[in-house]
Amino acid sequence: MPTTRNRDVSLYYEADGDGPTVVFINDVGYGAWLWGWHYDAVAGPYETVVWDLRGTGRSDAPAGPYDVETLTADLEAVLADHGVGSAHLVGAGLGGMVALKYAHQYNRARSLTLYCTAGSGDAVDREKLDSLALDAPSSLEGAFSPAFRDHDPDLMEQIAGWRAEEDATGEARAAQAGAMTGFDSPPLYEITQPAEVYYGLNDPVVKSDAAQSLAADLPRGTGEAVEGRHCCYIEYAPAVTDRLLAFLDEQTD
C-alpha cells in the first residue's frame, strides 16, 4: 500500500474505486475504521482515499505538538503523491477542521462534507474529547447513544477491536487533540466550495450551535441535524451516506 512523506514524516494511505476522488479525513485518535460505513457505498462510483493522520495507524507518530496547518500539509502531500487533481473532502471533528483549512489554502478541494466539527477550537470541550480516547473509561459513551450501544453489543466489540489495532494513543492522540482545540479557522467567507455540515444533537464534544454557526458562516454551507452523539454519522450511517452520495452526485453533475 502506498506511503508518502511530508518532510521527515511517513504517511500511509489507501485508494480504491474509480471516478472523481473523495478523501476521508479522520477525527482525533480514530483510525481508518471510522469510514467503514461510508466506504463500500462510495468506492466504485467514486475513487476513495483514506489516510492515517500522523500519530495514527501506519503513519509515523512524531513528537508533538501538532496543529491543523501541519495536518493540512500532510493531506496535500498525500493528494500530490497520488496524483489527485481535485477532490471532495469528507472530514469528521479534527478532520473537518483540516478540510476547512485545506479548502482555503489549496486549490484541489471541490466540496466539503463536515461531521461534528466547528470553526474554532474554542467550541470543543477538551474534557469530553479526551473521554473518547481508547484508554479512557467508557470511551464509547460520548461517541454513541445508549440505544445504539445496547442494540448491537457485537458491533461494539468489533469497534473495540478495530480501535485497539488502529487508533492513536498516548502522546500522539494528545497532540491531535491539541491540534483540534487550538484550531482557528481561516476567514470562512473565503471558503466558497459547496459545504454540508452535519452535527449530532447530543454531541458532547462539539455543541450543535457551534456546528450550526459554522454552516451559517460558510457562503455555500448548509446544516443538517442528526440524532446521536459525536459519531452520529456512524449511528445513522445509512441515511447520512445516502445524503453524502446525493451531494457528491450533485457536485459531480
Side-chain angles (χ1 to χ4, degrees), residues 123-199:
V124 178
D125 187 320
R126 178 61 185 265
E127 182 178 354
K128 298 297 186 182
L129 177 63
D130 289 343
S131 74
L132 303 180
L134 178 62
D135 55 359
S138 305
S139 63
L140 294 178
E141 287 187 3
F144 303 113
S145 70
F148 185 71
R149 299 196 311 273
D150 294 342
H151 174 70
D152 195 343
D154 290 340
L155 176 59
M156 295 299 103
E157 188 173 334
Q158 277 188 303
I159 289 175
W162 296 330
R163 295 188 67 194
E165 182 177 345
E166 300 179 16
D167 277 14
T169 58
E171 293 182 3
R173 188 195 182 279
Q176 291 181 7
M180 187 174 184
T181 56
F183 177 64
D184 188 16
S185 73
L188 293 175
Y189 62 84
E190 295 179 356
I191 301 175
T192 57
Q193 292 87 346
E196 290 198 338
V197 180
Y198 294 82
Y199 53 92

Side-chain angles (χ1 to χ4, degrees), residues 190-241:
E190 295 179 356
I191 301 175
T192 57
Q193 292 87 346
E196 290 198 338
V197 180
Y198 294 82
Y199 53 92
L201 289 173
N202 296 304
D203 184 352
V205 178
V206 178
K207 298 300 185 185
S208 58
D209 57 351
Q212 289 171 339
S213 177
L214 171 61
D217 289 342
L218 290 167
R220 299 174 69 185
T222 60
E224 184 71 27
V226 183
E227 294 285 348
R229 298 186 176 180
H230 193 58
C231 291
C232 59
Y233 50 93
I234 293 176
E235 189 163 344
Y236 290 91
V240 173
T241 303

Side-chain angles (χ1 to χ4, degrees), residues 20-24 46 86-90 108-113 247-248 251-252:
T21 302
V22 179
V23 181
F24 294 101
Y46 295 90
S86 63
H88 302 281
L89 307 183
V90 181
R108 301 182 202 266
R110 295 181 64 179
S111 71
L112 307 177
T113 301
F247 179 62
L248 294 173
Q251 304 313 314
T252 301

Side-chain angles (χ1 to χ4, degrees), residues 42-113:
V42 175
Y46 295 90
E47 178 188 50
T48 56
V49 175
V50 180
W51 61 293
D52 292 339
L53 274 62
R54 61 173 61 204
T56 305
R58 286 164 281 191
S59 291
D60 286 347
Y66 301 170
D67 56 34
V68 169
E69 183 172 0
T70 300
L71 298 173
T72 302
D74 289 347
L75 174 57
E76 171 64 6
V78 168
L79 297 188
D81 184 76
H82 193 53
V84 175
S86 63
H88 302 281
L89 307 183
V90 181
L94 172 61
M97 294 174 172
V98 172
L100 287 167
K101 181 72 172 177
Y102 189 90
H104 185 263
Q105 189 166 346
Y106 297 97
N107 61 5
R108 301 182 202 266
R110 295 181 64 179
S111 71
L112 307 177
T113 301

